Amino acid sequence: MDTLRTPDERFADLPGFPYEPRYVEVDDGDGGRLRVAYVDEGPADGETVLLLHGEPSWSFLYRRMIPVLVEAGLRVVAPDLVGFGRSDKPVERSAYTYARHVGWMRQALLDELDLRDATLVCQDWGGLIGLRLVAENPDRFARVVVANTGLPTGDQRMSEAFLAWQRFSQESPEFHIGRIVGNGTVGGLAPEVLAAYDAPFPDDRYTAGARQFPALVPTSPDDPAAAANRAAWEVLMSWEKPFLTAFSDGDPITGGGDRVFQKLVPGARGMAHTTLPGGGHFLQEDVGPELARVVADLVAATPRT
């Protein structure tokens, strides 16, 4: 598998993100190895909060949340998905599949880092991957917080906003990562923040994963990932541990998706679900500290048994 690795100097002087990267290696599924980057902050003996980003961002997205969670005494682990951030980036779009993304994160987070009793916090593709990890390894997770995400099986029609984004991702000759993230916020982003989202992608050769992700979302019942996601839902529909929805009020792509989780997941019953005002699709940018406090409060209110 041909891969690219973003030069370290691209990540110099990131605004509000002083965290040193750490690395593990995973099998690429094609006879080689991939380096997966992550940050690991807070007390080593604190309860673990796993922050999974989505498309086309990277762990930098969580920089406004990490300090709040660490201050609450929590250990924060935030990986960069393969193809994003400081993680290695396969060159060919065909190298990226839904199953491989789940497998790469399983290897990195469960096999290599051996995370246990983790609280998953997931947004966008962080949910599509993270909820699969939860369903396939339920004993490794203590709680789940879903924010502006879903777990589609292809059996329901996706929103027009998502379908328009999917078409754009496949057809647009230009794919400016920072601009895409900025357009998914309510308040917009400062130039240095836009540059930080662009940093992992020196040129278009590095964007294969970002380009491919929207095409991997199951939009038909016979999608290659549809059966696995249906199986994951079967597990989630018997999940009794705490399961909290914390969507924003300004996301046209996932709006209303929180009600599906509240209805179908037993662990969501009686929870203090919240809608965060003033947040776009990337609510970590618009209301990150508020979302972090929701997570910290959940951990404090639901001690492990």
Side-chain angles (χ1 to χ4, degrees), residues 158-190:
M158 301 295 287
S159 69
E160 288 301 323
F162 170 78
L163 294 174
W165 154 243
Q166 189 181 56
R167 289 192 297 271
F168 172 84
S169 70
Q170 304 307 298
E171 299 171 3
S172 175
E174 297 183 337
F175 206 65
H176 298 294
I177 304 297
R179 188 181 305 168
I180 291 167
V181 177
N183 288 342
T185 68
V186 169
L189 299 176

Side-chain angles (χ1 to χ4, degrees), residues 45 47 53 58 61-62 64 73 93 102 115 124 166 173 209 211 222 225 241 274 286:
D45 60 349
E47 289 214 43
H53 72 84
W58 59 292
L61 178 69
Y62 285 103
R64 303 188 67 212
R93 287 177 60 171
V102 174
L115 300 187
D124 191 85
Q166 189 181 56
R211 284 276 199 177
D222 59 351
K241 300 174 190 176
T274 186
D286 292 312

Side-chain angles (χ1 to χ4, degrees), residues 18-300:
Y19 310 113
E20 287 295 320
R22 308 184 190 204
Y23 302 99
V24 294
E25 286 194 350
V26 301
D27 293 328
D28 65 6
D30 197 29
R33 303 285 285 173
L34 291 168
R35 191 178 78 168
V36 175
Y38 67 102
V39 297
D40 192 338
E41 298 292 324
D45 60 349
E47 289 214 43
T48 300
V49 176
L50 171 61
L51 306 177
L52 279 189
H53 72 84
E55 148 81 2
S57 59
W58 59 292
S59 57
F60 177 79
L61 178 69
Y62 285 103
R63 73 194 180 285
R64 303 188 67 212
M65 295 179 60
I66 293 173
V68 177
L69 297 170
V70 170
E71 179 65 24
L74 302 171
R75 176 194 178 196
V76 179
V77 175
D80 294 336
L81 298 178
V82 172
F84 299 84
R86 291 184 170 100
S87 290
D88 285 347
K89 300 168 181 65
V91 174
E92 299 298 329
R93 287 177 60 171
S94 60
Y96 297 89
T97 69
Y98 196 152
R100 275 181 167 171
H101 273 295
V102 174
W104 289 330
M105 284 299 105
R106 182 189 306 113
Q107 287 184 67
L109 301 170
L110 304 187
D111 297 343
E112 295 297 323
L113 296 185
D114 195 29
L115 300 187
R116 297 179 182 274
D117 292 321
T119 298
L120 171 67
V121 179
C122 55
Q123 179 261 344
D124 191 85
W125 259 97
L128 276 75
I129 295 170
L131 292 173
R132 283 276 298 274
L133 293 178
V134 169
E136 294 167 18
N137 309 271
D139 58 315
R140 293 296 192 98
F141 293 89
R143 310 169 192 82
V144 176
V145 179
V146 291
N148 292 2
T149 191
L151 188 64
T153 62
D155 298 306
Q156 299 83 26
R157 180 169 174 80
M158 301 295 287
S159 69
E160 288 301 323
F162 170 78
L163 294 174
W165 154 243
Q166 189 181 56
R167 289 192 297 271
F168 172 84
S169 70
Q170 304 307 298
E171 299 171 3
S172 175
E174 297 183 337
F175 206 65
H176 298 294
I177 304 297
R179 188 181 305 168
I180 291 167
V181 177
N183 288 342
T185 68
V186 169
L189 299 176
E192 62 271 20
V193 174
L194 293 173
Y197 283 114
D198 286 329
F201 310 101
D203 60 52
D204 197 55
R205 295 176 302 154
Y206 290 76
T207 65
R211 284 276 199 177
Q212 189 67 4
F213 247 151
L216 299 180
V217 176
T219 56
S220 65
D222 59 351
D223 184 275
N229 281 14
R230 291 189 196 103
W233 267 112
E234 290 297 319
V235 176
L236 293 177
M237 287 190 293
S238 63
W239 174 270
E240 299 279 355
K241 300 174 190 176
F243 193 105
L244 186 70
T245 64
F247 281 45
S248 68
D249 65 350
D251 181 17
I253 294 178
T254 65
D258 51 347
R259 294 192 294 271
V260 177
F261 291 113
Q262 293 168 18
K263 177 181 179 181
L264 296 179
V265 181
R269 294 170 189 158
M271 299 297 294
H273 302 293
T274 186
T275 299
L276 295 167
H281 180 64
F282 296 103
L283 74 169
Q284 300 96 322
E285 284 288 349
D286 292 312
V287 291
E290 293 87 343
L291 177 57
R293 283 190 282 272
V294 168
V295 175
D297 288 348
L298 173 68
V299 175

